[in-house]
Amino acid sequence: MHSWIPASGHALRHAGIHFDAVRISGIFGEQVAYEIMQFTDFQAGPIVRSRIGMQSMYFLVPPGTASAYRWRAVGAEALVRKGSDFVGVPALRGQTYPLDWRSRPTVDDPFVETKLLFELVAKVVEDAIFAVR
């Protein structure tokens, strides 16, 4: 598969080299993951779930693509090639706690589609704002 996926456990990978990442924390991240899984018929590409702290989702997108969008405007954070942007990546099998795959990378879907992710994040934010009104 990908050389950046460890054989066992989990490993830190520098964002912006093999992939960019978009981090979305809490229930908002869960909702976006659900939406993109539904939209792609469960072929979303790699989404890493972290079960520590704020329990975030990391959507792994092609390297060099995340910076084309204004993620903070929709409540997400782009992790791209700069000093300390690292992402924990779990192995495909075995014990990987506190990380796991919400959606695994495949040969056909090696990354989450960046534009689709941005559009779905914006939709989830808009739906949440509308529900509060």
Short mmCIF file of all heavy atoms in Angstrom, two decimals, residues 38-88:
data_model
loop_
_atom_site.label_atom_id
_atom_site.label_comp_id
_atom_site.label_asym_id
_atom_site.label_seq_id
_atom_site.Cartn_x
_atom_site.Cartn_y
_atom_site.Cartn_z
N GLN A 38 -20.89 8.44 3.70
CA GLN A 38 -22.17 8.25 3.02
C GLN A 38 -22.09 8.71 1.56
O GLN A 38 -22.56 8.02 0.67
CB GLN A 38 -23.28 9.02 3.74
CG GLN A 38 -23.63 8.47 5.10
CD GLN A 38 -24.28 7.11 5.00
OE1 GLN A 38 -25.19 6.90 4.20
NE2 GLN A 38 -23.78 6.17 5.79
N PHE A 39 -21.50 9.88 1.35
CA PHE A 39 -21.44 10.47 0.01
C PHE A 39 -20.63 9.60 -0.95
O PHE A 39 -20.94 9.52 -2.14
CB PHE A 39 -20.86 11.88 0.08
CG PHE A 39 -20.97 12.63 -1.20
CD1 PHE A 39 -22.12 13.36 -1.50
CD2 PHE A 39 -19.94 12.62 -2.13
CE1 PHE A 39 -22.24 14.04 -2.70
CE2 PHE A 39 -20.05 13.31 -3.33
CZ PHE A 39 -21.20 14.01 -3.62
N THR A 40 -19.58 8.95 -0.45
CA THR A 40 -18.68 8.17 -1.31
C THR A 40 -18.99 6.68 -1.30
O THR A 40 -18.19 5.89 -1.79
CB THR A 40 -17.21 8.37 -0.87
OG1 THR A 40 -17.07 7.90 0.47
CG2 THR A 40 -16.79 9.83 -0.99
N ASP A 41 -20.12 6.30 -0.72
CA ASP A 41 -20.48 4.89 -0.62
C ASP A 41 -19.39 4.09 0.08
O ASP A 41 -18.98 3.03 -0.36
CB ASP A 41 -20.80 4.31 -2.00
CG ASP A 41 -21.57 3.01 -1.93
OD1 ASP A 41 -22.29 2.78 -0.94
OD2 ASP A 41 -21.44 2.20 -2.87
N PHE A 42 -18.89 4.67 1.16
CA PHE A 42 -17.86 4.06 2.03
C PHE A 42 -16.52 3.85 1.33
O PHE A 42 -15.76 2.96 1.69
CB PHE A 42 -18.39 2.77 2.68
CG PHE A 42 -19.55 3.03 3.57
CD1 PHE A 42 -20.85 2.98 3.08
CD2 PHE A 42 -19.35 3.38 4.89
CE1 PHE A 42 -21.93 3.26 3.91
CE2 PHE A 42 -20.43 3.66 5.73
CZ PHE A 42 -21.72 3.60 5.23
N GLN A 43 -16.22 4.71 0.37
CA GLN A 43 -14.93 4.71 -0.32
C GLN A 43 -14.30 6.09 -0.22
O GLN A 43 -13.91 6.69 -1.21
CB GLN A 43 -15.12 4.32 -1.80
CG GLN A 43 -15.74 2.96 -2.02
CD GLN A 43 -14.88 1.85 -1.48
OE1 GLN A 43 -13.68 1.78 -1.73
NE2 GLN A 43 -15.47 0.96 -0.70
N ALA A 44 -14.19 6.60 1.00
CA ALA A 44 -13.78 7.99 1.23
C ALA A 44 -12.29 8.23 1.13
O ALA A 44 -11.85 9.35 0.91
CB ALA A 44 -14.26 8.45 2.60
N GLY A 45 -11.48 7.19 1.29
CA GLY A 45 -10.04 7.38 1.41
C GLY A 45 -9.66 7.41 2.88
O GLY A 45 -10.50 7.19 3.76
N PRO A 46 -8.40 7.70 3.19
CA PRO A 46 -7.92 7.55 4.56
C PRO A 46 -8.40 8.63 5.55
O PRO A 46 -8.18 9.81 5.34
CB PRO A 46 -6.40 7.60 4.42
CG PRO A 46 -6.16 8.35 3.15
CD PRO A 46 -7.33 8.06 2.26
N ILE A 47 -9.06 8.14 6.61
CA ILE A 47 -9.48 8.99 7.72
C ILE A 47 -9.00 8.31 8.99
O ILE A 47 -9.37 7.17 9.28
CB ILE A 47 -11.01 9.16 7.77
CG1 ILE A 47 -11.55 9.71 6.45
CG2 ILE A 47 -11.39 10.07 8.95
CD1 ILE A 47 -13.07 9.69 6.35
N VAL A 48 -8.14 9.01 9.74
CA VAL A 48 -7.60 8.49 10.99
C VAL A 48 -8.39 9.08 12.14
O VAL A 48 -8.60 10.29 12.20
CB VAL A 48 -6.10 8.83 11.14
CG1 VAL A 48 -5.58 8.40 12.50
CG2 VAL A 48 -5.29 8.22 10.01
N ARG A 49 -8.81 8.22 13.08
CA ARG A 49 -9.52 8.66 14.27
C ARG A 49 -8.57 8.58 15.46
O ARG A 49 -7.97 7.55 15.71
CB ARG A 49 -10.73 7.76 14.50
CG ARG A 49 -11.50 8.08 15.75
CD ARG A 49 -12.78 7.26 15.89
NE ARG A 49 -12.69 5.96 15.29
CZ ARG A 49 -13.73 5.28 14.82
NH1 ARG A 49 -14.93 5.79 14.88
NH2 ARG A 49 -13.58 4.08 14.30
N SER A 50 -8.44 9.70 16.18
CA SER A 50 -7.63 9.75 17.39
C SER A 50 -8.57 9.76 18.59
O SER A 50 -9.47 10.59 18.67
CB SER A 50 -6.76 11.01 17.41
OG SER A 50 -6.13 11.14 18.66
N ARG A 51 -8.33 8.86 19.54
CA ARG A 51 -9.21 8.73 20.70
C ARG A 51 -8.60 9.35 21.96
O ARG A 51 -8.90 8.93 23.06
CB ARG A 51 -9.53 7.27 20.93
CG ARG A 51 -10.32 6.67 19.79
CD ARG A 51 -10.65 5.23 20.04
NE ARG A 51 -11.30 4.63 18.93
CZ ARG A 51 -12.62 4.56 18.77
NH1 ARG A 51 -13.42 5.08 19.67
NH2 ARG A 51 -13.13 3.97 17.72
N ILE A 52 -7.73 10.36 21.77
CA ILE A 52 -7.16 11.05 22.92
C ILE A 52 -7.54 12.53 22.85
O ILE A 52 -7.83 13.04 21.79
CB ILE A 52 -5.62 10.87 23.00
CG1 ILE A 52 -4.96 11.33 21.71
CG2 ILE A 52 -5.26 9.44 23.30
CD1 ILE A 52 -3.45 11.32 21.76
N GLY A 53 -7.51 13.18 23.99
CA GLY A 53 -7.81 14.61 24.01
C GLY A 53 -9.20 14.91 23.48
O GLY A 53 -10.18 14.34 23.91
N MET A 54 -9.25 15.79 22.48
CA MET A 54 -10.52 16.21 21.89
C MET A 54 -11.11 15.16 20.94
O MET A 54 -12.14 15.38 20.34
CB MET A 54 -10.33 17.52 21.12
CG MET A 54 -10.05 18.73 21.97
SD MET A 54 -11.54 19.49 22.60
CE MET A 54 -12.44 19.86 21.11
N GLN A 55 -10.45 14.04 20.77
CA GLN A 55 -10.89 12.98 19.86
C GLN A 55 -11.16 13.55 18.47
O GLN A 55 -12.28 13.87 18.12
CB GLN A 55 -12.10 12.25 20.42
CG GLN A 55 -11.78 11.57 21.72
CD GLN A 55 -12.85 10.61 22.16
OE1 GLN A 55 -13.81 10.35 21.46
NE2 GLN A 55 -12.68 10.06 23.35
N SER A 56 -10.10 13.66 17.71
CA SER A 56 -10.15 14.28 16.41
C SER A 56 -10.17 13.27 15.27
O SER A 56 -9.76 12.13 15.43
CB SER A 56 -8.91 15.17 16.22
OG SER A 56 -8.88 16.18 17.19
N MET A 57 -10.62 13.74 14.12
CA MET A 57 -10.53 13.00 12.87
C MET A 57 -9.48 13.70 12.02
O MET A 57 -9.43 14.94 11.96
CB MET A 57 -11.85 13.02 12.11
CG MET A 57 -12.95 12.27 12.76
SD MET A 57 -12.74 10.50 12.61
CE MET A 57 -14.22 9.98 13.43
N TYR A 58 -8.66 12.92 11.38
CA TYR A 58 -7.64 13.43 10.45
C TYR A 58 -7.97 12.89 9.07
O TYR A 58 -7.90 11.68 8.83
CB TYR A 58 -6.24 12.98 10.88
CG TYR A 58 -5.81 13.60 12.18
CD1 TYR A 58 -6.19 13.05 13.40
CD2 TYR A 58 -5.01 14.74 12.18
CE1 TYR A 58 -5.78 13.62 14.60
CE2 TYR A 58 -4.60 15.32 13.37
CZ TYR A 58 -5.00 14.75 14.58
OH TYR A 58 -4.60 15.32 15.76
N PHE A 59 -8.33 13.78 8.17
CA PHE A 59 -8.65 13.42 6.80
C PHE A 59 -7.38 13.61 5.98
O PHE A 59 -6.88 14.74 5.88
CB PHE A 59 -9.78 14.31 6.28
CG PHE A 59 -11.05 14.18 7.09
CD1 PHE A 59 -11.22 14.87 8.28
CD2 PHE A 59 -12.06 13.33 6.66
CE1 PHE A 59 -12.38 14.74 9.03
CE2 PHE A 59 -13.23 13.19 7.41
CZ PHE A 59 -13.39 13.90 8.59
N LEU A 60 -6.84 12.54 5.44
CA LEU A 60 -5.58 12.61 4.71
C LEU A 60 -5.87 12.88 3.24
O LEU A 60 -6.51 12.07 2.55
CB LEU A 60 -4.79 11.31 4.89
CG LEU A 60 -4.57 10.88 6.36
CD1 LEU A 60 -3.67 9.65 6.42
CD2 LEU A 60 -4.02 12.02 7.20
N VAL A 61 -5.39 14.02 2.78
CA VAL A 61 -5.63 14.49 1.41
C VAL A 61 -4.30 14.53 0.66
O VAL A 61 -3.23 14.47 1.27
CB VAL A 61 -6.33 15.87 1.42
CG1 VAL A 61 -7.68 15.80 2.12
CG2 VAL A 61 -5.46 16.94 2.05
N PRO A 62 -4.33 14.62 -0.67
CA PRO A 62 -3.07 14.63 -1.43
C PRO A 62 -2.14 15.76 -0.96
O PRO A 62 -2.61 16.85 -0.62
CB PRO A 62 -3.51 14.85 -2.87
CG PRO A 62 -4.91 14.34 -2.92
CD PRO A 62 -5.49 14.66 -1.56
N PRO A 63 -0.84 15.50 -0.93
CA PRO A 63 0.10 16.55 -0.51
C PRO A 63 -0.01 17.77 -1.39
O PRO A 63 -0.18 17.68 -2.61
CB PRO A 63 1.47 15.87 -0.62
CG PRO A 63 1.28 14.69 -1.49
CD PRO A 63 -0.16 14.28 -1.38
N GLY A 64 0.05 18.94 -0.75
CA GLY A 64 0.01 20.20 -1.48
C GLY A 64 -1.38 20.70 -1.81
O GLY A 64 -1.51 21.74 -2.46
N THR A 65 -2.43 20.01 -1.36
CA THR A 65 -3.79 20.43 -1.73
C THR A 65 -4.56 21.15 -0.62
O THR A 65 -5.47 21.92 -0.91
CB THR A 65 -4.63 19.23 -2.21
OG1 THR A 65 -4.79 18.30 -1.12
CG2 THR A 65 -3.99 18.54 -3.40
N ALA A 66 -4.23 20.91 0.62
CA ALA A 66 -5.01 21.48 1.73
C ALA A 66 -4.89 22.99 1.81
O ALA A 66 -5.84 23.67 2.20
CB ALA A 66 -4.61 20.85 3.06
N SER A 67 -3.76 23.53 1.45
CA SER A 67 -3.55 24.98 1.59
C SER A 67 -4.36 25.79 0.58
O SER A 67 -4.42 27.01 0.68
CB SER A 67 -2.07 25.32 1.48
OG SER A 67 -1.56 24.89 0.24
N ALA A 68 -5.03 25.16 -0.36
CA ALA A 68 -5.84 25.88 -1.34
C ALA A 68 -7.19 26.31 -0.77
O ALA A 68 -7.93 27.04 -1.42
CB ALA A 68 -6.05 25.00 -2.58
N TYR A 69 -7.52 25.87 0.46
CA TYR A 69 -8.81 26.15 1.05
C TYR A 69 -8.66 26.86 2.40
O TYR A 69 -7.64 26.71 3.05
CB TYR A 69 -9.60 24.85 1.24
CG TYR A 69 -9.88 24.16 -0.07
CD1 TYR A 69 -8.97 23.24 -0.59
CD2 TYR A 69 -11.02 24.44 -0.80
CE1 TYR A 69 -9.21 22.62 -1.81
CE2 TYR A 69 -11.26 23.83 -2.02
CZ TYR A 69 -10.36 22.91 -2.51
OH TYR A 69 -10.59 22.32 -3.71
N ARG A 70 -9.69 27.59 2.79
CA ARG A 70 -9.69 28.31 4.08
C ARG A 70 -10.40 27.46 5.12
O ARG A 70 -11.57 27.66 5.42
CB ARG A 70 -10.37 29.66 3.90
CG ARG A 70 -9.59 30.56 2.92
CD ARG A 70 -10.09 31.96 2.89
NE ARG A 70 -10.06 32.50 4.24
CZ ARG A 70 -10.92 33.41 4.68
NH1 ARG A 70 -11.85 33.88 3.89
NH2 ARG A 70 -10.84 33.86 5.92
N TRP A 71 -9.68 26.51 5.69
CA TRP A 71 -10.25 25.54 6.61
C TRP A 71 -10.71 26.17 7.92
O TRP A 71 -11.73 25.77 8.48
CB TRP A 71 -9.25 24.42 6.88
CG TRP A 71 -8.95 23.66 5.64
CD1 TRP A 71 -7.85 23.80 4.83
CD2 TRP A 71 -9.76 22.67 5.02
NE1 TRP A 71 -7.94 22.95 3.76
CE2 TRP A 71 -9.10 22.24 3.85
CE3 TRP A 71 -10.98 22.09 5.35
CZ2 TRP A 71 -9.63 21.27 3.02
CZ3 TRP A 71 -11.52 21.12 4.52
CH2 TRP A 71 -10.84 20.72 3.36
N ARG A 72 -9.97 27.13 8.44
CA ARG A 72 -10.35 27.74 9.72
C ARG A 72 -11.71 28.43 9.63
O ARG A 72 -12.43 28.50 10.60
CB ARG A 72 -9.29 28.73 10.18
CG ARG A 72 -8.02 28.02 10.64
CD ARG A 72 -7.27 28.87 11.64
NE ARG A 72 -5.99 28.27 11.96
CZ ARG A 72 -5.81 27.40 12.94
NH1 ARG A 72 -6.83 27.01 13.65
NH2 ARG A 72 -4.62 26.91 13.18
N ALA A 73 -12.05 28.91 8.44
CA ALA A 73 -13.34 29.57 8.25
C ALA A 73 -14.49 28.59 8.45
O ALA A 73 -15.61 29.00 8.74
CB ALA A 73 -13.42 30.19 6.86
N VAL A 74 -14.22 27.29 8.33
CA VAL A 74 -15.27 26.29 8.52
C VAL A 74 -15.00 25.39 9.73
O VAL A 74 -15.57 24.32 9.87
CB VAL A 74 -15.47 25.43 7.24
CG1 VAL A 74 -16.03 26.28 6.11
CG2 VAL A 74 -14.17 24.75 6.82
N GLY A 75 -14.11 25.84 10.62
CA GLY A 75 -13.90 25.12 11.88
C GLY A 75 -12.97 23.93 11.81
O GLY A 75 -13.05 23.03 12.65
N ALA A 76 -12.09 23.89 10.82
CA ALA A 76 -11.13 22.80 10.68
C ALA A 76 -9.73 23.39 10.61
O ALA A 76 -9.56 24.60 10.51
CB ALA A 76 -11.45 22.00 9.42
N GLU A 77 -8.74 22.52 10.66
CA GLU A 77 -7.35 22.98 10.60
C GLU A 77 -6.57 22.15 9.59
O GLU A 77 -6.59 20.92 9.66
CB GLU A 77 -6.70 22.86 11.97
CG GLU A 77 -5.27 23.31 11.99
CD GLU A 77 -4.61 23.15 13.35
OE1 GLU A 77 -5.23 22.58 14.27
OE2 GLU A 77 -3.46 23.60 13.48
N ALA A 78 -5.91 22.84 8.68
CA ALA A 78 -5.06 22.16 7.70
C ALA A 78 -3.68 21.94 8.29
O ALA A 78 -3.09 22.84 8.89
CB ALA A 78 -4.94 23.00 6.43
N LEU A 79 -3.19 20.73 8.15
CA LEU A 79 -1.83 20.39 8.56
C LEU A 79 -1.04 20.15 7.29
O LEU A 79 -1.31 19.20 6.55
CB LEU A 79 -1.84 19.14 9.45
CG LEU A 79 -2.73 19.23 10.69
CD1 LEU A 79 -2.78 17.91 11.42
CD2 LEU A 79 -2.25 20.34 11.61
N VAL A 80 -0.14 21.06 7.04
CA VAL A 80 0.65 21.02 5.80
C VAL A 80 2.12 21.07 6.16
O VAL A 80 2.48 21.08 7.33
CB VAL A 80 0.25 22.18 4.86
CG1 VAL A 80 -1.20 22.04 4.43
CG2 VAL A 80 0.45 23.53 5.52
N ARG A 81 2.97 21.15 5.20
CA ARG A 81 4.40 21.08 5.47
C ARG A 81 4.91 22.36 6.13
O ARG A 81 5.29 23.31 5.48
CB ARG A 81 5.16 20.81 4.18
CG ARG A 81 6.59 20.49 4.47
CD ARG A 81 7.31 20.02 3.26
NE ARG A 81 8.66 19.64 3.65
CZ ARG A 81 9.41 18.81 3.01
NH1 ARG A 81 8.96 18.27 1.91
NH2 ARG A 81 10.60 18.54 3.43
N LYS A 82 4.90 22.34 7.44
CA LYS A 82 5.53 23.39 8.22
C LYS A 82 6.05 22.73 9.49
O LYS A 82 5.67 21.60 9.81
CB LYS A 82 4.56 24.54 8.51
CG LYS A 82 3.28 24.17 9.17
CD LYS A 82 2.36 25.36 9.30
CE LYS A 82 1.11 24.90 10.01
NZ LYS A 82 0.05 25.82 10.02
N GLY A 83 6.88 23.38 10.21
CA GLY A 83 7.60 22.85 11.35
C GLY A 83 7.08 21.65 12.11
O GLY A 83 7.64 20.59 12.07
N SER A 84 5.97 21.80 12.82
CA SER A 84 5.57 20.75 13.76
C SER A 84 4.26 20.07 13.39
O SER A 84 3.57 19.56 14.27
CB SER A 84 5.45 21.35 15.16
OG SER A 84 4.47 22.37 15.16
N ASP A 85 3.90 20.06 12.15
CA ASP A 85 2.66 19.40 11.74
C ASP A 85 2.90 17.92 11.50
O ASP A 85 3.32 17.49 10.43
CB ASP A 85 2.08 20.05 10.49
CG ASP A 85 1.40 21.38 10.78
OD1 ASP A 85 1.18 21.68 11.97
OD2 ASP A 85 1.10 22.10 9.83
N PHE A 86 2.63 17.13 12.54
CA PHE A 86 2.76 15.68 12.45
C PHE A 86 1.39 15.05 12.65
O PHE A 86 0.54 15.58 13.36
CB PHE A 86 3.71 15.15 13.53
CG PHE A 86 5.15 15.45 13.25
CD1 PHE A 86 5.73 16.61 13.73
CD2 PHE A 86 5.93 14.58 12.49
CE1 PHE A 86 7.06 16.90 13.47
CE2 PHE A 86 7.26 14.87 12.24
CZ PHE A 86 7.83 16.03 12.73
N VAL A 87 1.21 13.90 12.04
CA VAL A 87 -0.04 13.15 12.17
C VAL A 87 0.31 11.72 12.56
O VAL A 87 1.21 11.11 11.97
CB VAL A 87 -0.83 13.15 10.84
CG1 VAL A 87 -2.07 12.29 10.94
CG2 VAL A 87 -1.19 14.58 10.44
N GLY A 88 -0.40 11.19 13.55
CA GLY A 88 -0.24 9.79 13.91
C GLY A 88 -0.96 8.92 12.89
O GLY A 88 -2.12 9.18 12.56
#
